[in-house]
Amino acid sequence: MTTIATSPRSDATTVAHQPHAANGLAIVRVTIGAMLVWVFFENLGKGLYTPAGYAGLIGYYIKNSHSPAIWKSVMALAASHAAMAAPMQAVTEIGLGTLLVIGLLTRPAAFVAFLYLGSLWVSEWGTSWIWELLVPVMASLGLVIGSAGRRWGVDAWLAQRWPSSLFW
């Protein structure tokens, strides 16, 4: 007769007993983070963080995407406040990218990345390949669920000190 342990394991114990899964999540975390850092520098070079550049890009999405009308209203609001929205997007992209690459506050950063990339995915409906952003959106959600910062990240050190925190 086989018995099964019914006591729940902590995330730290689970990660320690599943090194391949933890390594895989760390690779996904670093990849999504690197993508966001890359996009920041690409958009910076294109001038998309200037009010005119940002408003022009959002105007393109409003005109050409198949997003719901309510979402186009949200985008129009952002475009009309491009002087504030453009730098906020820049800080979001470089900030989330950096946090994910170094593995610091991984769960909150991955959750914000999930929401942010999801909003970009909806904004781009009909203007690009549907899977282009859906894969990083869902990968970000996987990072939230999987404690991805506990391997190869600052969160691994923090988890030793505060193992029950939901931040890593």
Side-chain angles (χ1 to χ4, degrees), residues 56-118:
L57 177 65
I58 301 301
Y60 170 81
Y61 288 143
I62 292 170
K63 181 180 176 188
N64 296 304
S65 79
H66 300 289
S67 300
I70 188 75
W71 189 249
K72 288 185 177 188
S73 298
V74 171
M75 288 192 293
L77 181 65
S80 68
H81 294 87
M84 193 169 48
M88 284 176 49
Q89 182 163 335
V91 168
T92 299
E93 289 170 352
I94 194 68
L96 290 175
T98 301
L99 288 172
L100 290 173
V101 166
I102 67 173
L104 176 61
L105 300 172
T106 301
R107 279 186 162 159
F111 183 69
V112 172
F114 167 73
L115 296 175
Y116 171 69
L117 293 169

